[in-house]
Coordinates of all heavy atoms in Angstrom, one line a residue:
M1 N 13.1 -10.3 2.3 CA 14.1 -10.0 3.3 C 13.4 -10.1 4.7 O 12.3 -9.6 4.9 CB 14.5 -8.5 3.1 CG 15.4 -8.0 4.2 SD 16.1 -6.5 3.6 CE 15.9 -5.5 4.9
A2 N 14.0 -10.9 5.5 CA 13.4 -11.2 6.8 C 13.8 -10.1 7.8 O 14.9 -9.6 7.7 CB 13.9 -12.6 7.3
V3 N 12.9 -9.8 8.7 CA 13.2 -8.8 9.8 C 13.8 -9.6 10.9 O 13.3 -10.6 11.3 CB 11.9 -8.1 10.2 CG1 12.2 -7.1 11.3 CG2 11.2 -7.5 9.0
S4 N 14.9 -9.0 11.4 CA 15.6 -9.7 12.5 C 14.8 -9.6 13.8 O 14.1 -8.7 14.0 CB 17.0 -9.2 12.6 OG 17.0 -7.9 13.0
E5 N 15.1 -10.5 14.6 CA 14.4 -10.6 15.9 C 14.6 -9.3 16.8 O 13.7 -8.8 17.4 CB 14.9 -11.8 16.7 CG 13.9 -12.2 17.8 CD 14.2 -13.5 18.4 OE1 14.4 -14.5 17.7 OE2 14.4 -13.5 19.6
P6 N 15.9 -8.7 16.9 CA 16.0 -7.5 17.6 C 15.2 -6.4 17.1 O 14.7 -5.6 17.9 CB 17.5 -7.2 17.5 CG 18.2 -8.5 17.2 CD 17.1 -9.3 16.4
V7 N 15.0 -6.3 15.8 CA 14.2 -5.2 15.2 C 12.8 -5.4 15.6 O 12.1 -4.4 16.0 CB 14.4 -5.1 13.7 CG1 13.5 -4.2 13.0 CG2 15.9 -4.8 13.3
L8 N 12.3 -6.6 15.6 CA 10.9 -6.9 16.0 C 10.7 -6.5 17.4 O 9.7 -6.0 17.8 CB 10.6 -8.3 15.7 CG 10.3 -8.7 14.3 CD1 10.0 -10.2 14.2 CD2 9.1 -8.0 13.7
G9 N 11.7 -6.8 18.3 CA 11.6 -6.5 19.7 C 11.6 -5.1 19.9 O 10.8 -4.6 20.8
I10 N 12.3 -4.3 19.2 CA 12.3 -2.8 19.3 C 11.0 -2.3 18.9 O 10.4 -1.4 19.6 CB 13.5 -2.2 18.5 CG1 14.8 -2.6 19.1 CG2 13.3 -0.7 18.4 CD1 16.0 -2.2 18.3
K11 N 10.4 -2.8 17.7 CA 9.1 -2.3 17.3 C 8.0 -2.7 18.3 O 7.1 -1.9 18.6 CB 8.8 -2.9 15.9 CG 9.6 -2.2 14.8 CD 9.2 -2.7 13.4 CE 10.0 -2.0 12.4 NZ 9.3 -1.6 11.2
F12 N 8.1 -3.9 18.8 CA 7.1 -4.3 19.8 C 7.2 -3.4 21.0 O 6.1 -3.0 21.5 CB 7.3 -5.8 20.1 CG 6.4 -6.3 21.2 CD1 5.1 -6.6 20.9 CD2 6.8 -6.4 22.5 CE1 4.2 -7.1 21.8 CE2 5.9 -6.8 23.5 CZ 4.6 -7.2 23.1
N13 N 8.4 -3.2 21.5 CA 8.5 -2.3 22.7 C 8.0 -0.9 22.4 O 7.4 -0.3 23.3 CB 10.0 -2.3 23.1 CG 10.4 -3.5 23.8 OD1 9.6 -4.3 24.2 ND2 11.8 -3.8 23.8
S14 N 8.3 -0.4 21.2 CA 7.9 0.9 20.8 C 6.3 1.0 20.8 O 5.7 1.9 21.3 CB 8.5 1.3 19.5 OG 8.0 2.6 19.1
L15 N 5.7 0.0 20.2 CA 4.3 -0.1 20.1 C 3.6 -0.3 21.4 O 2.6 0.3 21.7 CB 3.8 -1.2 19.1 CG 4.1 -1.0 17.6 CD1 3.8 -2.3 16.8 CD2 3.4 0.2 17.1
T16 N 4.3 -1.1 22.3 CA 3.7 -1.3 23.6 C 3.8 0.1 24.4 O 2.8 0.4 25.1 CB 4.6 -2.3 24.4 OG1 4.5 -3.6 23.7 CG2 4.0 -2.5 25.8
K17 N 4.9 0.8 24.3 CA 5.0 2.1 24.9 C 4.0 3.1 24.4 O 3.3 3.8 25.2 CB 6.4 2.6 24.7 CG 6.7 3.9 25.4 CD 8.1 4.4 25.2 CE 8.4 5.7 26.0 NZ 9.8 6.2 25.8
E18 N 3.8 3.1 23.1 CA 2.8 4.0 22.5 C 1.4 3.6 23.0 O 0.6 4.5 23.4 CB 2.8 3.9 21.0 CG 1.9 4.9 20.3 CD 2.0 4.9 18.8 OE1 3.0 4.3 18.3 OE2 1.2 5.5 18.2
R19 N 1.1 2.3 23.1 CA -0.2 1.8 23.6 C -0.4 2.3 25.0 O -1.5 2.8 25.4 CB -0.3 0.3 23.5 CG -1.7 -0.2 23.9 CD -1.7 -1.6 24.4 NE -0.8 -1.7 25.6 CZ -0.2 -2.9 26.0 NH1 -0.3 -3.9 25.3 NH2 0.5 -2.9 27.1
D20 N 0.6 2.1 25.8 CA 0.5 2.5 27.2 C 0.3 4.0 27.4 O -0.5 4.5 28.2 CB 1.8 2.1 28.0 CG 1.9 0.6 28.2 OD1 0.9 -0.1 27.9 OD2 3.0 0.1 28.5
Q21 N 0.9 4.8 26.5 CA 0.8 6.3 26.6 C -0.7 6.6 26.1 O -1.3 7.5 26.7 CB 1.8 7.0 25.7 CG 3.2 6.9 26.2 CD 4.2 7.4 25.1 OE1 3.9 7.5 23.9 NE2 5.4 7.8 25.6
L22 N -1.2 6.0 25.1 CA -2.6 6.2 24.7 C -3.5 5.8 25.8 O -4.5 6.5 26.0 CB -2.9 5.4 23.4 CG -2.2 6.0 22.1 CD1 -2.4 5.0 21.0 CD2 -2.7 7.3 21.8
Q23 N -3.3 4.7 26.5 CA -4.2 4.3 27.5 C -4.1 5.3 28.7 O -5.2 5.6 29.2 CB -3.8 2.9 28.1 CG -4.7 2.4 29.1 CD -6.1 2.2 28.7 OE1 -6.4 1.7 27.6 NE2 -7.1 2.6 29.5
T24 N -2.9 5.8 29.0 CA -2.8 6.8 30.1 C -3.6 8.1 29.7 O -4.3 8.7 30.5 CB -1.3 7.1 30.3 OG1 -0.7 5.9 30.8 CG2 -1.2 8.2 31.4
G25 N -3.4 8.5 28.4 CA -4.1 9.7 27.9 C -5.6 9.5 28.0 O -6.4 10.4 28.4
Y26 N -6.1 8.3 27.6 CA -7.5 8.0 27.7 C -8.0 8.0 29.1 O -9.1 8.6 29.4 CB -7.8 6.6 27.0 CG -9.2 6.2 27.2 CD1 -10.2 6.7 26.3 CD2 -9.6 5.3 28.2 CE1 -11.5 6.3 26.5 CE2 -10.9 4.9 28.3 CZ -11.9 5.4 27.5 OH -13.2 5.0 27.6
T27 N -7.3 7.4 30.0 CA -7.6 7.4 31.4 C -7.7 8.8 32.0 O -8.6 9.2 32.7 CB -6.6 6.6 32.2 OG1 -6.6 5.2 31.7 CG2 -6.9 6.6 33.7
N28 N -6.7 9.7 31.6 CA -6.7 11.1 32.1 C -7.9 11.8 31.6 O -8.5 12.6 32.3 CB -5.4 11.7 31.7 CG -4.2 11.2 32.5 OD1 -4.4 10.7 33.6 ND2 -3.0 11.4 32.0
L29 N -8.2 11.6 30.3 CA -9.4 12.3 29.7 C -10.7 11.8 30.4 O -11.6 12.6 30.6 CB -9.5 12.0 28.2 CG -8.5 12.8 27.3 CD1 -8.5 12.3 25.9 CD2 -8.7 14.3 27.4
T30 N -10.8 10.5 30.7 CA -11.9 10.0 31.4 C -12.1 10.7 32.8 O -13.2 11.1 33.2 CB -11.9 8.5 31.5 OG1 -11.8 7.9 30.2 CG2 -13.1 7.9 32.2
I31 N -11.0 10.8 33.5 CA -11.0 11.4 34.8 C -11.4 12.9 34.7 O -12.3 13.4 35.4 CB -9.6 11.3 35.5 CG1 -9.3 9.9 35.9 CG2 -9.5 12.2 36.7 CD1 -7.9 9.6 36.3
E32 N -10.9 13.6 33.7 CA -11.2 15.0 33.5 C -12.7 15.1 33.1 O -13.4 16.0 33.6 CB -10.3 15.6 32.4 CG -10.6 17.1 32.2 CD -9.6 17.7 31.2 OE1 -8.7 17.0 30.7 OE2 -9.8 18.9 30.8
R33 N -13.2 14.2 32.3 CA -14.6 14.2 31.9 C -15.5 14.1 33.1 O -16.5 14.8 33.3 CB -14.9 13.1 30.9 CG -16.4 13.1 30.4 CD -16.8 11.8 29.9 NE -16.7 10.8 31.0 CZ -16.7 9.5 30.8 NH1 -16.6 9.0 29.6 NH2 -16.6 8.7 31.8
D34 N -15.1 13.1 34.0 CA -15.9 12.9 35.2 C -15.8 14.1 36.1 O -16.9 14.5 36.7 CB -15.3 11.7 35.9 CG -15.6 10.4 35.2 OD1 -16.4 10.4 34.2 OD2 -15.0 9.3 35.5
Q35 N -14.7 14.8 36.2 CA -14.6 16.0 37.1 C -15.4 17.1 36.5 O -16.1 17.8 37.3 CB -13.1 16.4 37.2 CG -12.2 15.5 38.0 CD -10.8 15.8 37.9 OE1 -10.3 16.5 37.0 NE2 -10.0 15.3 38.9
L36 N -15.4 17.2 35.2 CA -16.3 18.3 34.5 C -17.7 18.0 34.8 O -18.5 18.9 35.0 CB -16.0 18.3 33.0 CG -14.6 19.0 32.7 CD1 -14.4 18.8 31.2 CD2 -14.6 20.5 33.0
H37 N -18.1 16.7 34.7 CA -19.5 16.3 35.0 C -19.9 16.7 36.4 O -21.0 17.2 36.7 CB -19.7 14.8 34.7 CG -21.2 14.5 34.7 ND1 -21.8 14.1 35.9 CD2 -22.1 14.5 33.8 CE1 -23.1 13.8 35.6 NE2 -23.3 14.1 34.4
I38 N -19.0 16.4 37.4 CA -19.3 16.8 38.8 C -19.4 18.3 38.9 O -20.3 18.8 39.6 CB -18.2 16.2 39.7 CG1 -18.3 14.7 39.8 CG2 -18.2 16.8 41.1 CD1 -17.1 14.0 40.4
S39 N -18.5 19.0 38.3 CA -18.6 20.5 38.3 C -19.9 21.0 37.7 O -20.5 21.9 38.3 CB -17.4 21.1 37.6 OG -16.2 20.9 38.2
Y40 N -20.3 20.4 36.6 CA -21.6 20.8 36.0 C -22.7 20.5 36.9 O -23.6 21.4 37.1 CB -21.7 20.0 34.7 CG -23.1 20.2 34.0 CD1 -23.4 21.3 33.3 CD2 -24.1 19.2 34.2 CE1 -24.6 21.5 32.7 CE2 -25.3 19.4 33.6 CZ -25.6 20.5 32.9 OH -26.8 20.7 32.4
T41 N -22.7 19.3 37.5 CA -23.8 19.0 38.5 C -23.8 20.0 39.6 O -24.9 20.5 40.0 CB -23.6 17.6 39.0 OG1 -23.6 16.7 37.9 CG2 -24.7 17.2 40.0
N42 N -22.7 20.3 40.2 CA -22.6 21.2 41.3 C -23.1 22.6 40.9 O -23.8 23.3 41.7 CB -21.2 21.3 41.9 CG -20.8 20.0 42.6 OD1 -21.6 19.3 43.0 ND2 -19.5 19.8 42.8
L43 N -22.7 23.1 39.7 CA -23.1 24.4 39.2 C -24.7 24.4 39.0 O -25.3 25.4 39.3 CB -22.4 24.8 38.0 CG -20.9 25.2 38.2 CD1 -20.2 25.3 36.8 CD2 -20.8 26.5 39.0
T44 N -25.2 23.3 38.5 CA -26.6 23.2 38.3 C -27.4 23.3 39.6 O -28.4 24.0 39.7 CB -27.0 21.9 37.6 OG1 -26.3 21.9 36.3 CG2 -28.5 21.8 37.3
I45 N -26.9 22.6 40.6 CA -27.5 22.7 42.0 C -27.4 24.1 42.5 O -28.4 24.6 43.0 CB -26.8 21.7 42.9 CG1 -27.1 20.2 42.5 CG2 -27.1 21.9 44.4 CD1 -26.3 19.2 43.2
E46 N -26.2 24.7 42.4 CA -26.1 26.1 42.8 C -27.0 27.0 42.1 O -27.6 27.9 42.7 CB -24.6 26.5 42.7 CG -24.4 27.9 43.3 CD -22.9 28.3 43.1 OE1 -22.1 27.5 42.7 OE2 -22.6 29.5 43.5
R47 N -27.2 26.9 40.8 CA -28.1 27.7 40.0 C -29.5 27.5 40.5 O -30.2 28.5 40.7 CB -28.0 27.3 38.5 CG -28.9 28.2 37.6 CD -29.3 27.5 36.4 NE -30.1 26.3 36.7 CZ -30.2 25.2 35.9 NH1 -29.6 25.2 34.7 NH2 -30.9 24.2 36.2
D48 N -29.9 26.3 40.8 CA -31.3 26.0 41.3 C -31.5 26.7 42.6 O -32.6 27.2 42.9 CB -31.5 24.5 41.3 CG -31.6 23.9 39.9 OD1 -31.7 24.7 38.9 OD2 -31.5 22.7 39.8
Q49 N -30.5 26.6 43.5 CA -30.6 27.2 44.8 C -30.7 28.8 44.7 O -31.5 29.4 45.4 CB -29.4 26.9 45.7 CG -29.3 25.4 46.1 CD -28.0 25.0 46.8 OE1 -27.0 25.7 46.6 NE2 -28.1 23.9 47.5
L50 N -29.9 29.3 43.8 CA -30.0 30.8 43.5 C -31.4 31.2 43.0 O -31.9 32.2 43.3 CB -28.9 31.2 42.6 CG -27.5 31.2 43.2 CD1 -26.4 31.5 42.1 CD2 -27.3 32.3 44.3
Q51 N -31.9 30.3 42.1 CA -33.2 30.6 41.5 C -34.3 30.6 42.6 O -35.2 31.4 42.7 CB -33.6 29.6 40.4 CG -34.9 29.9 39.8 CD -35.0 31.2 39.1 OE1 -34.1 31.5 38.3 NE2 -36.0 31.9 39.3
T52 N -34.2 29.6 43.5 CA -35.1 29.5 44.7 C -35.0 30.7 45.6 O -36.0 31.3 46.0 CB -34.8 28.2 45.5 OG1 -35.1 27.1 44.6 CG2 -35.8 28.1 46.7
S53 N -33.7 31.2 45.8 CA -33.5 32.3 46.7 C -34.1 33.6 46.0 O -34.8 34.4 46.7 CB -32.0 32.6 46.9 OG -31.5 31.6 47.7
Y54 N -33.9 33.7 44.7 CA -34.5 34.8 44.0 C -36.0 34.8 44.0 O -36.6 35.9 44.3 CB -34.0 34.8 42.5 CG -34.6 35.8 41.7 CD1 -34.2 37.2 41.7 CD2 -35.7 35.5 40.8 CE1 -34.8 38.1 40.9 CE2 -36.3 36.5 40.1 CZ -35.8 37.8 40.1 OH -36.4 38.8 39.3
T55 N -36.6 33.7 43.8 CA -38.0 33.6 43.9 C -38.5 33.9 45.3 O -39.5 34.7 45.4 CB -38.5 32.1 43.5 OG1 -38.0 31.8 42.2 CG2 -40.0 32.0 43.6
N56 N -37.9 33.4 46.3 CA -38.3 33.8 47.7 C -38.2 35.3 48.0 O -39.0 35.9 48.6 CB -37.5 32.9 48.7 CG -37.9 31.5 48.7 OD1 -39.0 31.1 48.2 ND2 -37.0 30.6 49.1
L57 N -37.1 35.9 47.5 CA -36.9 37.3 47.7 C -37.9 38.1 47.0 O -38.4 39.1 47.4 CB -35.5 37.7 47.3 CG -34.3 37.3 48.3 CD1 -33.0 37.5 47.6 CD2 -34.4 38.0 49.6
T58 N -38.3 37.7 45.8 CA -39.3 38.3 45.0 C -40.6 38.3 45.7 O -41.4 39.3 45.8 CB -39.4 37.7 43.6 OG1 -38.2 37.8 43.0 CG2 -40.5 38.4 42.8
I59 N -41.0 37.1 46.3 CA -42.2 37.0 47.1 C -42.2 37.9 48.3 O -43.1 38.6 48.6 CB -42.4 35.5 47.5 CG1 -42.8 34.7 46.3 CG2 -43.5 35.4 48.6 CD1 -42.7 33.2 46.5
E60 N -41.0 37.9 49.0 CA -40.9 38.8 50.2 C -41.0 40.3 49.8 O -41.7 41.1 50.5 CB -39.6 38.5 50.9 CG -39.4 39.3 52.2 CD -38.1 39.0 52.9 OE1 -37.4 38.1 52.4 OE2 -37.8 39.6 53.9
R61 N -40.4 40.6 48.7 CA -40.5 42.0 48.2 C -41.9 42.4 47.9 O -42.4 43.5 48.3 CB -39.7 42.2 46.9 CG -39.7 43.6 46.4 CD -39.4 43.7 44.9 NE -40.5 43.0 44.1 CZ -40.3 42.5 42.9 NH1 -39.2 42.6 42.3 NH2 -41.3 41.8 42.3
D62 N -42.7 41.5 47.3 CA -44.1 41.8 46.9 C -44.9 41.9 48.2 O -45.8 42.8 48.3 CB -44.6 40.7 46.0 CG -44.0 40.7 44.6 OD1 -43.3 41.7 44.3 OD2 -44.2 39.7 43.9
Q63 N -44.6 41.1 49.2 CA -45.3 41.1 50.5 C -45.0 42.5 51.2 O -45.9 43.1 51.7 CB -44.9 40.0 51.4 CG -45.5 38.6 50.9 CD -44.9 37.5 51.7 OE1 -43.9 37.5 52.3 NE2 -45.6 36.3 51.6
L64 N -43.8 42.9 51.1 CA -43.4 44.2 51.7 C -44.1 45.3 51.0 O -44.5 46.3 51.6 CB -41.9 44.3 51.7 CG -41.1 43.5 52.8 CD1 -39.6 43.5 52.5 CD2 -41.4 43.9 54.2
Q65 N -44.1 45.2 49.7 CA -44.8 46.3 48.9 C -46.3 46.4 49.3 O -46.8 47.5 49.4 CB -44.6 46.0 47.4 CG -45.2 47.1 46.5 CD -44.6 48.4 46.7 OE1 -43.4 48.5 46.8 NE2 -45.4 49.5 46.8
T66 N -46.9 45.2 49.4 CA -48.3 45.2 49.8 C -48.5 45.8 51.2 O -49.4 46.6 51.5 CB -48.8 43.7 49.8 OG1 -48.7 43.2 48.5 CG2 -50.3 43.7 50.3
S67 N -47.6 45.4 52.2 CA -47.7 46.0 53.5 C -47.5 47.5 53.5 O -48.2 48.2 54.2 CB -46.6 45.4 54.4 OG -46.8 44.0 54.7
Y68 N -46.5 47.9 52.7 CA -46.3 49.4 52.6 C -47.5 50.1 52.0 O -47.9 51.1 52.5 CB -45.1 49.6 51.6 CG -44.9 51.1 51.3 CD1 -44.2 51.9 52.2 CD2 -45.3 51.6 50.1 CE1 -44.0 53.3 52.0 CE2 -45.1 52.9 49.8 CZ -44.5 53.8 50.7 OH -44.3 55.1 50.4
T69 N -48.1 49.5 51.0 CA -49.3 50.1 50.4 C -50.5 50.2 51.4 O -51.1 51.2 51.6 CB -49.8 49.3 49.2 OG1 -48.7 49.3 48.2 CG2 -51.0 49.9 48.5
N70 N -50.6 49.1 52.2 CA -51.7 49.0 53.2 C -51.4 50.1 54.3 O -52.4 50.7 54.8 CB -51.8 47.6 53.8 CG -52.4 46.7 52.8 OD1 -53.1 47.1 51.8 ND2 -52.2 45.4 53.0
L71 N -50.2 50.2 54.7 CA -49.8 51.1 55.8 C -50.0 52.6 55.3 O -50.5 53.4 56.0 CB -48.4 50.9 56.2 CG -48.2 49.7 57.2 CD1 -46.7 49.5 57.4 CD2 -48.9 49.9 58.5
T72 N -49.7 52.8 54.0 CA -49.9 54.1 53.5 C -51.4 54.5 53.4 O -51.8 55.6 53.8 CB -49.3 54.2 52.0 OG1 -47.9 53.9 52.1 CG2 -49.5 55.6 51.4
I73 N -52.2 53.5 53.0 CA -53.7 53.7 53.0 C -54.2 54.0 54.4 O -54.9 55.0 54.7 CB -54.4 52.5 52.4 CG1 -54.1 52.4 50.9 CG2 -55.9 52.6 52.7 CD1 -54.6 51.1 50.3
E74 N -53.7 53.2 55.4 CA -54.1 53.4 56.8 C -53.7 54.8 57.3 O -54.4 55.5 58.0 CB -53.6 52.3 57.6 CG -54.1 52.3 59.1 CD -53.5 51.1 59.8 OE1 -52.9 50.2 59.2 OE2 -53.7 51.1 61.1
R75 N -52.4 55.1 57.0 CA -51.9 56.5 57.4 C -52.8 57.6 56.9 O -53.2 58.5 57.6 CB -50.5 56.6 57.0 CG -49.9 58.0 57.4 CD -48.7 58.4 56.6 NE -49.1 58.7 55.3 CZ -48.3 58.6 54.2 NH1 -47.1 58.3 54.3 NH2 -48.8 58.9 53.0
N76 N -53.1 57.5 55.6 CA -54.0 58.5 55.0 C -55.3 58.6 55.6 O -55.9 59.7 55.8 CB -54.1 58.3 53.5 CG -52.7 58.5 52.7 OD1 -51.9 59.2 53.3 ND2 -52.6 57.9 51.6
Q77 N -55.9 57.4 56.0 CA -57.2 57.4 56.7 C -57.1 58.1 58.0 O -58.0 58.9 58.4 CB -57.7 56.0 56.8 CG -58.1 55.3 55.5 CD -58.4 53.8 55.7 OE1 -58.0 53.2 56.7 NE2 -59.1 53.3 54.7
F78 N -56.0 57.8 58.7 CA -55.8 58.5 60.0 C -55.6 60.0 59.8 O -56.2 60.8 60.6 CB -54.6 57.9 60.7 CG -54.8 56.6 61.4 CD1 -53.9 55.6 61.3 CD2 -55.9 56.4 62.2 CE1 -54.1 54.4 61.9 CE2 -56.1 55.2 62.8 CZ -55.2 54.2 62.7
H79 N -54.9 60.4 58.8 CA -54.8 61.9 58.6 C -56.1 62.5 58.2 O -56.4 63.6 58.7 CB -53.8 62.1 57.4 CG -52.4 62.0 57.8 ND1 -51.4 62.0 56.8 CD2 -51.8 61.8 58.9 CE1 -50.2 61.8 57.4 NE2 -50.4 61.7 58.7
T80 N -56.9 61.8 57.5 CA -58.3 62.3 57.1 C -59.1 62.4 58.4 O -59.8 63.4 58.6 CB -58.9 61.4 56.1 OG1 -58.1 61.3 54.9 CG2 -60.3 61.8 55.8
Q81 N -59.1 61.4 59.3 CA -59.8 61.4 60.5 C -59.3 62.5 61.4 O -60.1 63.2 62.0 CB -59.7 60.1 61.2 CG -60.5 58.9 60.6 CD -60.2 57.6 61.3 OE1 -59.4 57.5 62.2 NE2 -60.9 56.6 60.8
R82 N -58.0 62.7 61.5 CA -57.4 63.8 62.3 C -57.9 65.1 61.8 O -58.3 66.0 62.6 CB -55.9 63.7 62.2 CG -55.2 64.8 63.1 CD -53.8 65.0 62.7 NE -53.8 65.6 61.4 CZ -52.7 65.6 60.6 NH1 -51.6 65.0 61.0 NH2 -52.8 66.1 59.4
D83 N -57.8 65.3 60.5 CA -58.3 66.6 59.9 C -59.7 66.8 60.2 O -60.1 68.0 60.5 CB -58.0 66.6 58.4 CG -56.5 66.6 58.1 OD1 -55.7 66.9 59.0 OD2 -56.2 66.3 56.9
T84 N -60.5 65.8 60.1 CA -62.0 65.9 60.4 C -62.2 66.3 61.8 O -63.0 67.2 62.2 CB -62.7 64.6 60.0 OG1 -62.5 64.3 58.7 CG2 -64.2 64.7 60.3
L85 N -61.5 65.6 62.7 CA -61.6 65.9 64.2 C -61.1 67.4 64.5 O -61.7 68.1 65.3 CB -60.9 64.9 65.0 CG -61.5 63.5 65.1 CD1 -60.6 62.6 65.8 CD2 -62.8 63.6 65.8
Q86 N -60.0 67.8 63.9 CA -59.5 69.1 64.1 C -60.5 70.2 63.6 O -60.8 71.2 64.2 CB -58.2 69.3 63.4 CG -57.0 68.7 64.1 CD -55.7 68.9 63.4 OE1 -55.7 69.2 62.2 NE2 -54.6 68.8 64.2
R87 N -61.1 69.9 62.4 CA -62.1 70.8 61.9 C -63.3 70.9 62.8 O -63.8 72.0 63.1 CB -62.5 70.4 60.5 CG -63.4 71.4 59.7 CD -63.7 70.9 58.3 NE -63.8 69.5 58.0 CZ -64.9 68.8 58.2 NH1 -66.0 69.3 58.7 NH2 -64.9 67.5 58.0
R88 N -63.8 69.8 63.3 CA -64.9 69.8 64.2 C -64.6 70.5 65.5 O -65.4 71.2 66.1 CB -65.3 68.3 64.5 CG -66.1 67.7 63.4 CD -66.5 66.3 63.8 NE -67.3 65.6 62.8 CZ -67.6 64.4 62.8 NH1 -67.3 63.6 63.9 NH2 -68.3 63.8 61.8
F89 N -63.4 70.3 66.0 CA -63.0 70.9 67.2 C -62.9 72.4 67.1 O -63.3 73.2 68.0 CB -61.6 70.4 67.7 CG -61.1 70.9 69.0 CD1 -61.7 70.5 70.2 CD2 -60.1 71.9 69.0 CE1 -61.3 71.0 71.4 CE2 -59.7 72.4 70.2 CZ -60.2 72.0 71.4
S90 N -62.4 72.9 65.9 CA -62.3 74.3 65.7 C -63.7 74.9 65.5 O -63.9 76.1 65.7 CB -61.4 74.6 64.5 OG -62.0 74.2 63.3
E91 N -64.7 74.1 65.1 CA -66.0 74.7 65.0 C -66.8 74.8 66.3 O -67.8 75.5 66.4 CB -66.8 73.7 64.0 CG -66.4 73.8 62.6 CD -67.1 72.8 61.7 OE1 -67.9 72.0 62.3 OE2 -66.9 72.7 60.5
L92 N -66.2 74.2 67.3 CA -66.9 74.3 68.6 C -66.7 75.6 69.3 O -65.9 76.4 69.2 CB -66.3 73.2 69.6 CG -66.8 71.8 69.2 CD1 -66.1 70.8 70.2 CD2 -68.3 71.6 69.2

């Protein structure tokens, strides 16, 4: 049994339409993949910047802690000197 030409034309049109839809779907998925890759890259850059900020803040915190410790030592030395001078003065 031979397939008539109009039936072949309908099948060809149907297959062409399906091919075009698959190509459009593939194109859309490719665009979405590229957008996701860009988002991933941007998030990686942001993560690295945040890590750098955290590291810098940690260094600054440590420097401030060292300054605080040194100032506390100096203050205590001044108190000791003051107490010594007051004791000497009272002995006069």
Side-chain angles (χ1 to χ4, degrees):
M1 175 165 134
V3 179
S4 67
E5 199 171 307
V7 173
L8 284 178
I10 292 170
K11 286 188 181 218
F12 178 77
N13 287 341
S14 176
L15 289 173
T16 301
K17 183 177 179 180
E18 186 178 346
R19 183 204 64 205
D20 291 346
Q21 289 171 340
L22 288 171
Q23 182 61 44
T24 299
Y26 175 78
T27 300
N28 289 339
L29 285 172
T30 301
I31 290 168
E32 185 176 353
R33 181 203 63 202
D34 293 346
Q35 290 171 341
L36 286 170
H37 188 270
I38 290 168
S39 292
Y40 172 80
T41 300
N42 289 340
L43 286 170
T44 300
I45 290 168
E46 185 177 354
R47 181 205 62 203
D48 293 346
Q49 289 171 341
L50 287 169
Q51 182 63 46
T52 299
S53 292
Y54 174 79
T55 300
N56 290 338
L57 285 169
T58 300
I59 290 169
E60 185 178 355
R61 181 205 62 203
D62 293 346
Q63 290 171 340
L64 287 169
Q65 183 62 44
T66 299
S67 291
Y68 173 79
T69 300
N70 289 338
L71 285 170
T72 300
I73 291 169
E74 188 177 352
R75 183 200 66 203
N76 290 340
Q77 288 171 345
F78 281 134
H79 283 172
T80 301
Q81 288 175 355
R82 182 199 65 201
D83 292 345
T84 300
L85 287 172
Q86 283 181 338
R87 189 174 33 83
R88 284 183 179 172
F89 183 74
S90 68
E91 290 175 356
L92 290 179

